[in-house]
Structure formats: C-alpha cells, structure tokens
Amino acid sequence: MAGQNCGVTTALLGVLLLGAVRLPRGAEASEIALPHGSGITVFIKPGTPPLPVKPCYIISSKRYKTSLTIKPGEKEVFSFSCHNPENHFVVEIQKNIDCMSGPCPFGEVQLQPSTSALPTLNRTFIWDVKAHKSIGLELQFAIPRLRQIGPGESCPDGVTHSISGRIDATAVKIGTFCSNGTVSRIKMQEGVKMALHLPWFHNRNVSGFSIANRSSIKRLCIIESVFEGEGSATLMSANYPDGFPEDELMTWQFVIPAHLRASVSFLHFNVSNCEKKEERVEYYIPGSTTNPEVFRLQDKQPGNMAGNFNLSLQGCDQDAQNPGILRLQFQVLVQHPQNESNKIYLVDLSNEQAMSLTIEPRPIKLSRKFVPGCFVCLESRTCSTNLTLTSGSKHKISFLCDNLTRLWMNAEKTISCTDHRYCHRRSHSLQVPGDILQLPVQLHDFSWKLLVPKDRLSLALVPTQKLQQHTQEKACNTSFSYLVASAVPGQDFYFGFFCPGGSIEQIQVKQNISVTLRTFAPSFRQEATRQGLTVSFIPFFKEEGVFTVTPDTKNKVYLRSPNWDRGLPSLTSVSWNISVPSNQVACLTFLKERTGVVCQTGRAFMIIQEQRSKVEEIFSLEDEVLPKPSFHHHSFWVNISNCSPVSGKQLDLFFWVLLTPRTMESPRGWLGLPHSMVASAWATFLHTD
C-alpha cells in the first residue's frame, strides 16, 4: 500500500501546475500564481545591501511595497521600481510537507516554482517535512554529492544546502553543505528541514536530491559518505560549533573502496560534564573481533582501516548546573596503502628511563591540492599524525604515509642526580638508542637534559671523537652536531654548536645543561658511529664552563665565547685549557682588536696564564686593545670574566690557535729580534695557511 501511495504522490508532484510565468524583462514584471493545496508560500523581502543605495520598492496593484507574500490560491503580478532588484530583495519559497496526516511525496524533489519563473533574485527553497517519531526519512543526493563546511566557510559557487532535524519541538542543525563532496545520503526521523540557497545569477533548475521512506533509525541522524578514490572529508557533529544535543546518538557511515585505507583524525572537540553515562565514539570496523570498538574523544583514533566502517558519537546525561558542551569536528582521510604500512617496527624502550620519542610531521607549506595523509600507527590500528612513545615499554609501530621524509623524530631524555654522594664520579653514555636509528624516519633532535644538585656537583662532557666548535670561519660539515645549552630555568645561555672532527676533548659546565644532537641530512645513519658523548658528575666549580683543547697540528682551531651572538652573560667566567705538545709551539691570535664590551658595573678582564711557570698576563677587555699574536711553548689557560655590561655592548671573544713544530719557531736569524718583529714575521708566515 505504501508503494502505491508513493507512486501516486510522485505522479501528482510531476503534474502540479503552478501557473508561474516570467514576463519579459524591461518593465521587470513577474506573475506568480500558487494553486490551492500546494503547501507553497513565496516571500519576497528585503535583502542586506552591502552599501547605502537608492531605495527600491516592489510595485504590486499600483502600490509600493517593501515586501510581498504569496500564499496558496493567490496570484500576484508585480515589478520593481529599480533595474537591479537583486541588490535589494531576496525570494524565499517555503513548502510545507505534512507526512503525519497523509502520504509523503517521496521521490525526486522539484523546484516549484521553477527558477526560470521567478524574479532574478537570490533564491532560497525551503522544504519543511514533518513526520512521526517512528518514521525515518532519507535525503538522497545526486552526484557530485555534498561537502560539509564549517562556521565562516562559504561555497565557491554560492550554492549551499542547510539541513536541520528536530527533537520534539527543538530544531537541530545537521550541517551546511556545498557541492562536490562525499555525502550521499542523510537519514533522519521526526522530520527534516532542507534549505537550498541559489544566487540570483545561478541558472540551476533542479533540487539535486530526493526523499525516501525508511524505518526508524533510533538516533538523531545517519550521514553516509562515499569515497570513489583517494580524498578527504571533514565532518561535524550536529549543531557544531554549538553543543551536541544531550544524550543523543549520531552516526556516520563510510563507504571505502576495498583497495584503499581510511584514517580518522579529530581536528577539534570539547566534552561536556556528564552526570550519567560517558561520552564516547564507537566504531564498527571490518575484521574487528571486538565490535563496537569504543574510544574516548581524547584517545588516538583508528587508522589504516580497509573497507567500509561506521563511526558513532554518543552523548551523555549532562550536569544540569554546569552542562559544558560536547562538539566534534573530524577528518577522514582515504588513500592507497603504502609499503611501509605492512611493516611492523619494534621500538624497545623498556630499559630506558625518563625518556620520550615523538614522531611528527615536519613543518611544510600548505597546498590546495589533495595531499595523502602521513600517519604513524600504534599496533597497526590506532593512527595519528603524531605519536609519542614513552620509556618503560615496548612499542609496535607502522607507518601509513606516501613519503616518510614528511615525518621526523624528536626525543628527550632526562638524566638527573638528586644525591651528590651517590652520583659523584658516575658517568652516563649519551647515545641515540639503536631501536630509534632503525626507524625509516629521520631523527631531527635528541635532547638529553642533565640535572645536578645546585652548588654540589658539576658536569663533564667527553666526546667519542674530539669536537669542533661551529663558527662562520670554520663551519661544521657533518650530518649532525651537538647544541650545548643551559637548562637552568630563566637562563638564556648556550655554549655553542659542536660537531666531530675538531680539537675539543672535554667540556665542563657548572650546572644543569641540555645537550641536543641535531641532524641535518639523511646521511646521519651512515655517520651514526661518530656520535657519542659521556657525561660524568664531577666536583662543583664556580666557572660557567671550561673547554679542554688539544689543537690539531695541521689546522687552526677556532674558538668563540659562549652566547656569542647575544654576549656572555653578566658576571660569568669561562676558561679554555689549551694543551701544547712538547715538540710544538702554539700561536694564539685574536680576530678582533676589541671585544666591544662596555661595563655598567664591575670589570671585564682576560687572563692568559702559562701552566708550567704560572706566569700570567691580565688584560682589561673594556679599555685595552686585545694582545697581538703570542707564542706559547707549553700548555696555557685563557680565561675571561665579564662585568655587568651596558645593553647592546656585550662581551664576545673570538680567537684561534695554531700549532707548528718547534724547529720552525726559532730560526737563527730571529734570535735577539724584538717580539713585535717576530710577531710580524709569524703573521706573514701564518697568513699563507
């Protein structure tokens, strides 16, 4: 019987004559006649002109009006007093469909009156369908289907679909949609309100959807999203960005080609304050033995899913005094499975302490074209764009990504000492674990935070291979380097960047520091054997840092004071312990005549001390010119101590050391010559280096 009613009512809709005729433009006259019982009402009313303009009126029965209403059984002939009525008025066509007292007009929905019969205004067609709670209604959308948009977004062609449902007497906004998307069907019960907005210049003459009868769906609505190939869809909970109705259930059904994989990411969400039950999302996933799989909104959501699946949002009974708000915006990304998605990597951090590893996207420029997602999956199912692994456990991960260079890894580990009696002279290796290096993603940073009791212990760093300090004059050309910086809260201080292949044998620091291994190229995997530092807890000393340096006999060693670009912090002291082999002589040369420091209080000075004879020279770094090149037959110290400098006049010391054989240091012809002449000759000799 229902099938017969459906056929009759569809036929009646097809032959309904509305008598609406568009007269030739010129006089701008239109005639609209609505038959009795059509359920259609036409409203012509003022729009929102962008700027103050000359008034325009509707002329009907020789009267000037600002609005016009045409009801069923009425006929109106009208025109406008201006030549651009589209800038002043809009037309709204409302059709009430009562499925409670009679049969519903199921089938394709027609635009009535047709757009060609209406005045050239922005047009909104509204279909308001009322039905019993037990009756399900389904809106079916023709290709190219619909795409949901969020608050503040608009459709490129200006054509929008606004869909609402109702719970008893309360209207519930399902969403606003554009064309060219994946939404193919929306199922609701207890009625539906559909609004189609067409710009005045758009010549569309079909609604693009049909209505079908369905049994009760026992929830607020079901949205079906169909993917034909790779792509993404952003969807939102009902009433978004306002709150999801209390204790309601909403479902999305996704149709995915068998050869593709789908991943879900929550973009924005809020949870309400529940009095009873718990807000959650439920998945029906193909192949799962635990359907439905239940997740909190705060959890990582499933990914790398093959085949169709459902996602449901379940609300709760909210606290009447402080309900909060439940809302959800999420994205479904569908793409081809990658080779890496079938490979499982075991990351064993069970023996590590106070360590975390984060795999995340590199910063990239956004593109308007579809870009396949890049996901990290835990246990091959819970996938997200970033994943943090913690110490104390073993983790199985895989990757769902077309290009793994779009990801990188950042790790952090804390090594702390709380009892100086226990830690004294103990050492720890600072080396990237092998389980991290085996992953097919580039390591970006690995940071060790080294913490000691204040004024009790200090730290000593000894590299596997001697280090070179990175400077503009001699830059590091390795695939990685170490950044050594203070980890004292509130102190913005770093010692510099260092890489293997230099002359620095040890760096001693006064208090808490962070050591960050930073990679610059994929070739780090081949050079990983060169990385490695050992940190030891040593007796406390008062200087900010001490560098132990044994210069290379073939190259100049460039050394620069810490924090060089911002200046050495106030009232700090730094030393360099320069070792000179017995058969060598060292030439110490400063690259600038002055350090540039201007003291506000205190003094800034430098001490150069021969370690064997204890003879020392003291230089004022504020007033005096830095010394000329000097020669040292034995190991020596260079120490600088800062004052409280004037802002912008900071202390920065930059020098180099070169070793040469002693046989070249004192030719017979140089004996007895003044020191300045010897220095000049040395400078000429060294300049040829």
Side-chain angles (χ1 to χ4, degrees):
M1 191 68 185
Q4 293 175 357
N5 288 337
C6 179
V8 171
T9 52
T10 303
L12 286 174
L13 283 176
V15 300
L16 181 63
L17 299 177
L18 296 173
V21 179
R22 177 75 184 276
L23 298 178
R25 190 169 180 134
E28 297 294 336
S30 296
E31 179 183 306
I32 295 180
L34 301 177
H36 287 283
S38 64
I40 297 175
T41 304
V42 176
F43 301 91
I44 300 175
K45 52 189 179 181
T48 53
L51 295 171
V53 293
K54 184 178 178 181
C56 184
Y57 299 96
I58 304 168
I59 304 173
S60 175
S61 301
K62 298 183 180 181
R63 298 178 63 182
Y64 284 71
K65 302 178 180 180
T66 57
S67 64
L68 182 64
T69 300
I70 308 170
K71 299 178 180 179
E74 295 181 350
K75 173 182 176 181
E76 285 284 353
V77 178
F78 59 93
S79 61
F80 298 95
S81 66
C82 59
H83 293 289
N84 56 346
E86 67 275 3
N87 292 336
H88 301 264
F89 296 97
V90 296
V91 59
E92 189 176 284
I93 305 97
Q94 292 188 6
K95 181 175 177 62
N96 295 318
I97 303 174
D98 185 1
C99 295
M100 300 182 73
S101 57
C104 278
F106 298 125
E108 184 179 353
V109 175
Q110 306 294 326
L111 294 185
Q112 299 170 324
S114 68
T115 53
S116 60
L118 295 171
T120 310
L121 306 175
N122 288 339
R123 306 174 292 281
T124 302
F125 290 87
I126 300 174
W127 296 269
D128 192 353
V129 184
K130 292 181 173 60
H132 288 286
K133 287 187 177 183
S134 59
I135 298 297
L137 298 173
E138 180 178 282
L139 303 182
Q140 300 176 344
F141 301 98
I143 294 175
R145 303 191 178 103
L146 300 185
R147 172 177 62 88
Q148 189 170 9
I149 58 174
E153 294 183 88
S154 59
C155 299
D157 59 359
V159 178
T160 60
H161 306 70
S162 298
I163 303 171
S164 300
R166 61 173 54 88
I167 302 173
D168 296 326
T170 304
V172 179
K173 180 183 176 183
I174 302 302
T176 302
F177 301 82
C178 303
S179 300
N180 297 316
T182 61
V183 174
S184 59
R185 293 189 293 179
I186 298 179
K187 305 173 188 177
M188 286 175 285
Q189 62 185 42
E190 202 176 341
V192 60
K193 191 173 185 178
M194 167 77 179
L196 172 64
H197 174 76
L198 301 174
W200 65 270
F201 53 82
H202 207 285
N203 60 2
R204 177 169 170 168
N205 57 11
V206 294
S207 69
F209 75 98
S210 59
I211 300 177
N213 183 18
R214 290 293 178 264
S215 58
S216 173
I217 60 173
K218 294 181 172 56
R219 62 199 67 206
L220 175 62
C221 73
I222 300 173
I223 296 178
E224 182 185 77
S225 184
V226 177
F227 287 83
E228 304 287 353
E230 286 191 317
S232 64
T234 300
L235 297 159
M236 285 144 267
S237 57
N239 281 342
Y240 190 90
D242 296 326
F244 187 69
E246 183 178 4
D247 196 25
E248 280 294 335
L249 177 64
M250 181 175 181
T251 297
W252 292 266
Q253 296 178 333
F254 296 97
V255 179
I256 312 294
H259 64 284
L260 299 179
R261 299 292 182 269
S263 299
V264 176
S265 300
F266 284 4
L267 305 179
H268 303 285
F269 68 86
N270 292 87
V271 294
S272 56
N273 298 315
C274 295
E275 196 171 67
K276 294 180 181 179
K277 303 181 184 179
E278 185 178 4
E279 294 168 341
R280 62 191 184 275
V281 286
E282 297 180 355
Y283 291 84
Y284 279 85
I285 301 174
S288 173
T289 58
T290 58
N291 280 325
E293 294 194 16
V294 179
F295 293 79
R296 298 179 306 160
L297 276 75
Q298 300 92 328
D299 294 337
K300 299 291 186 183
Q301 302 303 310
N304 200 21
M305 293 179 285
N308 305 338
F309 70 96
N310 293 357
L311 184 161
S312 296
L313 174 66
Q314 174 68 64
C316 67
D317 291 330
Q318 298 172 348
D319 185 334
Q321 301 299 321
N322 183 23
I325 184 172
L326 170 62
R327 59 185 171 191
L328 171 64
Q329 182 186 47
F330 66 97
Q331 183 185 67
V332 175
L333 191 61
V334 175
Q335 60 193 53
H336 287 284
Q338 309 302 319
N339 292 333
E340 287 293 337
S341 65
N342 296 319
K343 187 171 182 180
I344 304 297
Y345 294 89
L346 177 64
V347 183
D348 186 357
L349 303 181
S350 57
N351 295 323
E352 299 287 346
Q353 294 181 347
M355 176 184 161
S356 65
L357 170 68
T358 299
I359 305 173
E360 58 192 348
R362 295 171 181 264
I364 58 170
K365 293 182 179 179
L366 296 177
S367 171
R368 292 188 176 184
K369 296 181 179 179
F370 169 73
V371 178
C374 211
F375 294 96
V376 192
C377 303
L378 189 62
E379 301 291 343
S380 299
R381 174 55 59 82
T382 304
C383 301
S384 61
T385 54
N386 58 73
L387 177 66
T388 297
L389 307 178
T390 55
S391 54
S393 301
K394 295 181 180 181
H395 308 273
K396 292 181 180 180
I397 67 172
S398 60
F399 298 91
L400 181 61
C401 188
D402 67 319
N403 182 1
L404 288 173
T405 61
R406 293 167 55 191
L407 298 173
W408 64 17
M409 298 184 289
N410 291 287
E412 184 175 287
K413 181 174 182 177
T414 299
I415 299 175
S416 60
C417 169
T418 55
D419 187 343
H420 69 281
R421 294 167 299 180
Y422 173 77
C423 304
H424 183 55
R425 298 296 180 186
R426 288 182 175 269
S427 61
H428 298 267
S429 176
L430 307 186
Q431 199 159 18
V432 180
D435 274 22
I436 294 178
L437 293 176
Q438 56 109 14
L439 295 175
V441 176
Q442 181 180 340
L443 176 67
H444 177 234
D445 279 354
F446 196 114
S447 295
W448 293 269
K449 189 175 288 186
L450 310 175
L451 308 179
V452 292
K454 186 177 181 181
D455 299 336
R456 291 284 190 170
L457 292 176
S458 293
L459 295 161
L461 296 172
V462 178
T464 303
Q465 296 186 10
K466 291 192 292 185
L467 300 176
Q468 168 197 328
Q469 186 174 9
H470 174 83
T471 64
Q472 291 182 346
E473 286 70 18
K474 189 168 185 180
C476 288
N477 59 3
T478 54
S479 62
F480 72 97
S481 67
Y482 294 101
L483 169 62
V484 181
S486 171
V488 176
Q491 188 178 64
D492 184 17
F493 177 73
Y494 70 93
F495 292 88
F497 281 95
F498 304 89
C499 58
S503 301
I504 300 174
E505 294 183 335
Q506 181 176 257
I507 303 174
Q508 294 172 283
V509 293
K510 174 182 176 181
Q511 50 191 342
N512 301 345
I513 60 167
S514 68
V515 178
T516 300
L517 183 151
R518 176 164 296 171
T519 69
F520 303 102
S523 57
F524 168 69
R525 295 181 187 281
Q526 285 71 49
E527 295 188 2
T529 54
R530 301 182 66 187
Q531 57 107 10
L533 295 171
T534 299
V535 60
S536 301
F537 298 101
I538 61 175
F540 177 75
F541 60 88
K542 293 185 178 180
E543 287 187 276
E544 205 64 44
V546 178
F547 297 84
T548 301
V549 183
T550 300
D552 187 351
T553 57
K554 298 180 181 179
N555 299 295
K556 296 176 185 177
V557 179
Y558 288 89
L559 299 167
R560 197 159 194 172
S561 56
N563 243 40
W564 61 268
D565 57 341
R566 296 188 292 272
L568 194 67
S570 300
L571 307 177
T572 56
S573 176
V574 178
S575 294
W576 290 265
N577 177 6
I578 313 294
S579 298
V580 181
S582 58
N583 62 341
Q584 302 285 319
V585 61
C587 178
L588 170 65
T589 303
F590 296 94
L591 272 74
K592 297 189 297 184
E593 287 190 347
R594 296 180 182 275
T595 63
V597 66
V598 176
C599 293
Q600 189 171 19
T601 59
R603 294 179 56 220
F605 56 89
M606 175 175 68
I607 299 175
I608 300 177
Q609 182 190 64
E610 293 282 351
Q611 294 184 21
R612 175 179 289 188
S613 64
K614 305 299 182 182
V615 173
E616 62 182 32
E617 295 179 276
I618 302 176
F619 303 89
S620 171
L621 297 179
E622 183 180 19
D623 304 322
E624 297 181 24
V625 174
L626 290 173
K628 299 292 184 184
S630 58
F631 307 98
H632 302 269
H633 301 77
H634 307 289
S635 300
F636 62 97
W637 289 95
V638 176
N639 168 271
I640 57 173
S641 296
N642 199 11
C643 58
S644 293
V646 174
S647 177
K649 301 293 183 180
Q650 308 293 332
L651 173 57
D652 170 29
L653 188 70
F654 191 16
F655 61 95
W656 54 258
V657 178
L658 177 66
L659 293 181
T660 55
R662 285 200 177 192
T663 54
M664 299 179 61
E665 168 258 334
S666 257
R668 285 177 176 252
W670 292 9
L671 294 176
L673 292 178
H675 182 274
S676 59
M677 293 182 64
V678 176
S680 176
W682 261 101
T684 302
F685 167 73
L686 295 173
H687 191 66
T688 61
D689 178 63

